[in-house]
């Protein structure tokens, strides 16, 4: 028994140790993937080879551009027109290092670290008109979900390549490329693949795109640098850059003061998520908002009429509207019905602290019932707290109570109370005994009452008849007519 015990204990130990080793190894590879050095660079011994076509040379594993001069034969150097630097670590880039390549017009960096662009001093320089940066970077700062090294790009850097006309950025990640307006000689900027930060400072790229000065491929994404792996549901990161820029520009154009508008995401169906904020700015009616606005905050204004929400095409994409602390006293049921039937059911309407006395509860109920019948799992939500509800209105109260009872989101039933001018002032609507408050008035005569009255009358008639017969008999000795007819007497 003891041996068996020992055996099982040691087996258990082994299992635990093995499990720990496996978990540790997993964690190690995970951490390595997450924080380890960037894998794209693999240094080889520096070497150059020439390609058969067009005097092209490819150099790999360089630590400095100067090395080209020693790795390519001096007869070939003046003939090279296209130079590709791949898998290199160039920590100082200046055209001075390429001064002996007199015919050079196209310079490419592939999968390379290229930093510290410095001004050339020699003369004449090779006339490099085309520069291509493919999968290049100069810092490792960026940690997005998948760690990406980024590249800084400024006008000054480009001025160090004075004859540059076309710049290609292939699969590079640029956080905030500086507006390249000053680089007069640059005719065209090509952005292919890769990404650019989702930052409004990058809107100039769209202007360049629209004027034909830049071409941006559809697979170029915009990203938000973040140290967390927190994947927000409708994150902008990884969405098409051009789409985001267009949404951003359009929204800024349509944003009317004093509201603030921002594109905060892109939905699965590629519609934008646009937030508009107009809190406490003294509005008295619903404002003009950008098309496709999805979230609107209008708290603490003096708005009295919310009809525009249901009628204006601008409000058709609203998912959430906050109208707390306004002066709304009425919601049109018919408009609400038409609006809600004609769009997604997923909407939150916040109406706390307004002047609402009633709601079109019959129609709200109908909307719920029809949606339930159609199997829709999103229903419109309301926040109706802190309004002066008219609990004396029995055409409203029972349905309203039911609505409050089943509406379990964003609405604390303890804040839904009767107005203080009603007979149930200040009481919670859900706690009212609606059956007795709104019991139908009893009809004046119940059938049983009528029967009782008839019986009473009959009884009285019998008594009168008896008295009459009795008097007749006393005075005239006359028996009642019915007695004379009876055979027994
Ligand atoms: C590039 O070389 C420099 C030294 O010249 C070194 O400090 C740096 O770490 C290298 N960069 C990469 C990405 O290997
Ligand atoms: C950049 O390169 C120049 C030479 O081209 C060098 O003098 C300078 O120290 C470098 N700067 C940095 C920050 O590496
Ligand atoms: C360098 O990148 C360009 C653009 O992606 C590509 O056409 C070329 O073949 C690459 N050259 C090498 C040697 O990898
Ligand atoms: C990105 O788009 C460009 C042109 O639109 C194309 O050449 C390239 O192959 C695409 N890249 C990927 C990874 O699909
Ligand atoms: C809009 O944003 C600006 C700057 O962030 C701020 O000063 C202003 O109060 C905001 N307006 C509204 C209505 O939120
Ligand atoms: C709303 O109107 C009242 C008086 O009519 C005013 O005192 C208040 O400042 C207004 N609210 C806002 C947010 O403008
Ligand atoms: C609104 O969204 C639609 C896509 O649902 C898009 O076609 C349209 O351009 C957008 N309008 C604006 C002004 O953003
Ligand atoms: C609200 O405004 C609409 C027009 O947008 C108007 O037809 C309606 O009568 C107004 N409602 C109230 C209660 O003032
Ligand atoms: C909403 O109604 C309008 C007219 O009442 C119609 O033109 C539009 O197509 C409808 N939209 C949807 C999504 O049903
Ligand atoms: C009744 O309620 C209103 C606001 O809801 C408040 O201003 C008023 O003071 C209240 N009156 C009493 C008697 O509580």
């Amino acid at each position: 028994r003891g041996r068996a015990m020992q055996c099982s204990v040691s087996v258990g130990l082994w299992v635990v140790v093995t499990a720990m080793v496996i978990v540790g190894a997993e964690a190690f590879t995970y951490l390595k993937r997450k924080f380890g050095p960037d894998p794209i660079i693999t240094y080889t011994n520096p070497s150059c080879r020439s390609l058969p076509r067009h005097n092209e040379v490819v150099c790999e594993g360089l630590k400095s551009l100067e090395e080209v001069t020693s790795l390519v034969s001096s007869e070939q150097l003046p003939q090279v027109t296209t130079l590709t630097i791949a898998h290199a670590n160039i920590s100082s880039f200046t055209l001075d290092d390429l001064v002996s390549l007199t015919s050079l017009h196209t310079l490419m960096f592939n999968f390379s670290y290229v930093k510290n662009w410095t001004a050339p001093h020699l003369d004449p320089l090779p006339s490099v008109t085309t520069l291509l940066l493919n999968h290049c970077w100069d810092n490792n700062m960026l940690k997005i979900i998948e760690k990406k090294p980024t590249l800084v790009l400024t006008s000054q850097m480009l001025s160090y390549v004075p004859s540059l006309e076309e710049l290609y950025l292939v699969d590079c990640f640029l956080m905030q490329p500086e507006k390249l307006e000053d680089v007069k000689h640059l005719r065209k900027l090509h952005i292919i693949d890769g990404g650019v930060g989702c930052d409004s400072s990058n809107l100039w790229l769209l202007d360049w795109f629209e004027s034909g000065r830049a071409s941006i491929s559809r697979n170029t994404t915009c990203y938000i640098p973040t140290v967390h792996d927190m994947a927000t549901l409708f994150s902008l990161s990884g969405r098409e850059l051009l789409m985001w820029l267009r949404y951003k520009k359009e929204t800024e154009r349509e944003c009317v003061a004093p509201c603030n508008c921002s594109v905060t995401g892109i939905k699965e169906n590629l519609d934008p998520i646009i937030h508009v904020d107009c809190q406490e700015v003294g509005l008295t009616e619903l404002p003009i908002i950008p098309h496709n606005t999805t979230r609107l905050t209008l708290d603490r204004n003096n708005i009295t009429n919310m009809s525009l929400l249901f009628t204006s095409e601008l409000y058709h994409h609203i998912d959430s509207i906050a109208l707390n602390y306004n002066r709304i006293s009425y919601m049109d049921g018919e408009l609400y019905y038409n609006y809600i039937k004609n769009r997604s059911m997923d909407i939150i309407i916040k109406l706390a602290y307004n002047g609402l006395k009633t709601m079109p509860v019959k129609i709200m109920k109908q909307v719920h019932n029809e949606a339930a019948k159609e199997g829709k799992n999103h229903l419109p939500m309301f926040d109706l707290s802190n309004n002066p509800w008219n609990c004396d209105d029995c055409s409203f109260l029972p349905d309203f109570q039911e609505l409050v009872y089943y509406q379990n989101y964003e609405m604390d039933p303890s804040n839904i109370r009767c107005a203080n001018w009603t007979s149930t002032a200040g009481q919670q609507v859900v706690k009212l005994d609606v059956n007795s408050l709104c019991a139908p008035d009893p009809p004046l005569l119940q059938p049983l009452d009528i029967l009782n009255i008839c019986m009473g009358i009959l009884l009285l008639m019998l008594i009168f008849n008896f008295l009459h017969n009795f008097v007749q008999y006393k005075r005239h000795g006359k028996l009642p007519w019915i007695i004379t007819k009876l055979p027994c007497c």
Side-chain angles (χ1 to χ4, degrees):
R1 278 206 62 165
R3 278 189 70 115
M5 191 76 172
Q6 253 179 6
C7 194
S8 75
V9 164
S10 65
V11 165
L13 259 172
W14 273 111
V15 167
V16 168
V17 167
T18 317
M20 279 169 73
V21 166
I22 290 170
V23 167
E26 281 297 313
F28 179 73
T29 44
Y30 173 75
L31 287 177
K32 199 172 156 198
R33 203 174 57 221
K34 210 165 154 206
F35 300 112
D38 198 87
I40 56 180
I41 203 158
T42 49
Y43 295 111
T44 49
N45 284 332
S47 68
C48 291
R49 64 197 150 91
S50 37
L51 299 181
R53 43 169 199 215
H54 304 304
N55 302 314
E56 268 188 71
V57 168
V58 177
C59 296
E60 292 200 314
L62 303 192
K63 296 267 190 305
S64 111
L65 275 185
E66 272 178 316
E67 290 174 288
V68 176
T69 324
S70 53
L71 291 167
V72 177
S73 70
S74 50
E75 303 87 66
Q76 204 191 353
L77 276 175
Q79 281 152 36
V80 176
T81 56
T82 300
L83 174 65
T84 302
I85 311 288
H87 303 288
N89 175 358
I90 308 294
S91 44
S92 165
F93 167 43
T94 164
L95 280 187
D96 282 348
D97 292 343
L98 300 174
V99 74
S100 50
L101 289 81
T102 47
S103 315
L104 186 68
H105 58 65
T106 300
L107 177 60
M108 299 196 244
F109 290 97
N110 286 9
F111 296 87
S112 293
Y113 177 83
V114 188
K115 198 175 168 75
N116 189 14
W117 299 38
T118 27
H121 299 294
L122 300 179
D123 196 46
L125 286 169
S127 164
V128 174
T129 54
T130 304
L131 178 64
L132 182 144
L133 296 161
N134 174 14
H135 210 123
C136 290
W137 77 102
D138 60 12
N139 64 72
N140 288 316
M141 299 307 284
L142 182 68
K143 286 180 195 139
I144 46 179
I145 291 168
E146 202 186 323
K147 191 177 160 190
K148 297 270 192 218
T150 59
L151 182 69
V152 171
L153 196 67
T154 64
S155 299
Q156 196 184 32
M157 284 161 65
L158 295 184
S159 72
Y160 299 151
V161 189
S163 43
L164 185 66
E165 289 174 10
E166 292 206 59
L167 173 63
Y168 289 82
L169 299 168
V170 183
D171 205 14
C172 293
F173 285 80
L174 304 145
M175 194 86 86
Q176 265 187 44
E178 193 183 285
K179 194 168 179 184
L180 301 178
E181 215 57 78
D182 303 342
V183 195
K184 294 278 181 282
H185 46 88
L186 183 64
R187 278 196 297 107
K188 188 130 186 181
L189 170 66
H190 304 260
I191 300 181
I192 301 154
D193 235 319
V196 176
C198 316
D199 192 288
S200 17
S201 65
N202 296 334
L203 269 176
W204 66 272
L205 282 172
L206 186 61
D207 298 335
W208 274 44
F209 178 80
E210 283 169 350
S211 67
R213 238 185 129 179
S215 81
I216 301 174
S217 75
R218 297 202 51 185
N219 52 23
T220 302
T221 56
C222 96
Y223 62 85
I224 295 175
T226 162
V227 276
H228 308 293
D229 286 7
M230 205 168 60
T232 44
L233 189 53
F234 301 123
S235 167
L236 278 177
S237 243
R239 295 296 189 181
E240 188 188 330
L241 174 69
L242 277 176
M243 177 189 286
W244 179 75
L245 288 173
R246 286 194 188 106
Y247 281 147
K248 179 90 193 154
K249 188 174 176 185
E250 196 63 10
T251 302
E252 279 188 7
R253 197 176 58 77
E254 291 188 338
C255 194
V256 177
C259 299
N260 283 341
C261 314
S262 53
V263 183
T264 58
I266 292 179
K267 295 188 204 174
E268 309 267 283
N269 66 0
L270 303 185
D271 280 353
I273 302 173
I274 298 171
H275 287 193
V276 176
D277 187 349
C278 326
Q279 286 193 70
E280 216 170 350
V281 288
L283 293 175
T284 52
E285 51 193 41
L286 293 186
I288 307 284
I289 52 171
H291 283 86
N292 296 339
T293 297
T294 44
R295 182 179 295 178
L296 179 58
T297 309
L298 294 167
D299 290 346
R300 295 176 196 279
N301 284 290
N302 279 335
I303 295 166
T304 53
N305 187 335
M306 62 184 288
S307 293
L308 205 62
L309 165 62
F310 303 135
T311 54
S312 167
E313 193 247 324
L314 298 178
Y315 283 80
H316 215 82
H317 288 84
I318 296 275
D319 295 333
S320 164
I321 179 168
L323 282 160
N324 305 315
Y325 296 97
N326 276 283
R327 299 176 172 202
I328 293 161
S329 56
Y330 174 73
M331 183 173 113
D332 189 312
E334 212 170 301
L335 294 182
Y336 167 68
Y337 184 82
N338 290 336
Y339 172 75
I340 215 77
K341 289 309 278 182
N342 196 353
R343 47 154 286 146
S344 136
M345 286 277 169
D346 215 353
I347 185 171
I348 299 167
I349 302 175
K350 297 182 188 174
L351 288 165
Y353 293 97
N354 275 278
L356 291 161
K357 300 187 182 73
T358 67
M359 285 293 268
V361 279
K362 297 259 180 322
I363 288 174
M364 290 164 82
K365 214 167 138 180
Q366 188 187 346
V367 168
H368 273 231
N369 292 344
E370 287 178 11
K373 215 181 282 170
E374 290 162 26
K376 295 196 169 135
N377 46 5
H378 293 300
L379 288 172
M381 303 277 189
F382 286 88
D383 183 350
L384 299 171
S385 347
N386 299 94
N387 279 282
W389 297 109
N390 180 2
C391 299
D392 291 343
D393 182 355
C394 281
S395 67
F396 157 72
L397 187 61
D399 289 324
F400 184 59
Q401 190 184 50
E402 201 177 310
L403 188 98
V404 175
Y405 196 80
Y406 289 113
Q407 180 111 40
N408 49 12
Y409 181 83
E410 288 269 342
M411 191 143 85
D412 179 0
S414 67
N415 288 332
I416 302 198
R417 293 170 182 271
C418 302
N420 54 14
W421 43 263
T422 59
S423 57
T424 47
Q427 294 194 36
Q428 285 185 35
V429 168
V430 276
K431 291 197 176 160
L432 293 180
D433 181 3
V434 170
N435 284 340
S436 68
L437 273 177
C438 292
D441 286 339
L444 244 62
L445 289 177
Q446 301 276 352
L448 206 63
D449 297 337
I450 294 168
L451 187 72
N452 284 341
I453 289 167
C454 292
M455 299 275 274
I457 291 169
L458 201 67
L459 194 67
L460 274 177
M461 280 165 71
L462 279 172
I463 291 169
F464 272 116
N465 185 255
F466 172 77
L467 286 174
H468 177 252
N469 287 344
F470 185 73
V471 168
Q472 290 287 322
Y473 177 72
K474 273 269 159 142
R475 283 200 191 150
H476 314 289
K478 217 172 120 188
L479 281 171
W481 169 82
I482 193 147
I483 303 282
T484 59
K485 290 285 181 240
L486 283 178
C488 67
C489 313

